[in-house]
Amino acid sequence: MAIRRILYADDPRLRQKAKPVKRFGPELKALADDMLETMRAANGLGLAAPQIGILQQLFVAHLPKDEADPQSGKDFVLVNPQIVQASPERVEGVEGCLSIPTWYGRVARAEWVVVKAQNVHGKPVRIKAHGLLARVFQHEIDHLNGVLFVDHIRRPEDVWQELPKEASEKQPAAQVAAAVEQLA
Ligand SMILES: [Zn+2]
């Protein structure tokens, strides 16, 4: 397993549509394992393949273990995911993105979604996700379509920056700020 480099918001690859995965096998499994490791190392809840420069329709997700949420504590690897049903009611929540470090925004999402996908071995799966997991799935599926969370923001007060106490070289804040301003 290896940690891959995560692309930042100004990278054009984040704006492209990912292609369906057609080949299932050890290479795809290795890619999914790398994505899980990269997501964990970055403390993310999800990571889509385009975020590491792979324009293929897959993402990984993991919610930290929370006794109150049976969806938590599990690794999800969803290949060729499609939202087939979504709740009419939308809920606002705060989102960040590993590709837009230090930036947060308030985004309205469906409260639950049913996602049809394949697992890493190509077996069809159908998952109903609600609450935070539904939010993560919608955010990651957006990535597969070249959409970033900032695209959903309509009011300037719904997006803000929280700088870490120690600015790290991994988070080129000024560059990202410029990119987000262009996007918003
Ligand atoms: Zn993201």
Side-chain angles (χ1 to χ4, degrees), residues 25 29 41 62 64 87 98 116 135 138 145 158-159 172 174:
K29 174 74 169 73
H62 180 106
S87 66
L98 295 176
K116 221 176 73 178
R135 177 170 296 280
Q138 290 169 86
N145 291 306
D158 284 344
V159 66

Side-chain angles (χ1 to χ4, degrees), residues 51 96-99 139-140 143 148-149:
Q51 290 182 277
C97 179
L98 295 176
S99 292
H139 177 117
E140 301 310 329
H143 273 301
L148 301 176
F149 82 83

Side-chain angles (χ1 to χ4, degrees), residues 1-5 26-41 52 60 75 77 120:
M1 291 212 284
I3 292 175
R4 309 283 190 107
R5 194 171 66 84
E27 263 179 48
L28 186 69
K29 174 74 169 73
L31 171 63
D33 286 344
D34 281 1
M35 286 170 62
L36 285 164
E37 194 181 2
T38 304
M39 173 186 70
R40 269 193 291 273
I52 56 166
V60 297
D75 285 341
V77 176
V120 77

Side-chain angles (χ1 to χ4, degrees), residues 4-23:
R4 309 283 190 107
R5 194 171 66 84
I6 297 174
L7 307 181
Y8 290 122
D10 52 355
D11 192 300
R13 284 170 288 181
L14 289 172
R15 291 312 197 166
Q16 288 171 23
K17 270 187 188 273
K19 294 203 167 63
V21 172
K22 296 210 176 98
R23 289 176 62 188

Side-chain angles (χ1 to χ4, degrees), residues 49-65:
Q51 290 182 277
I52 56 166
I54 310 273
L55 293 173
Q56 299 254 314
Q57 292 179 11
L58 85 143
F59 73 82
V60 297
H62 180 106
L63 303 186
K65 186 86 188 133

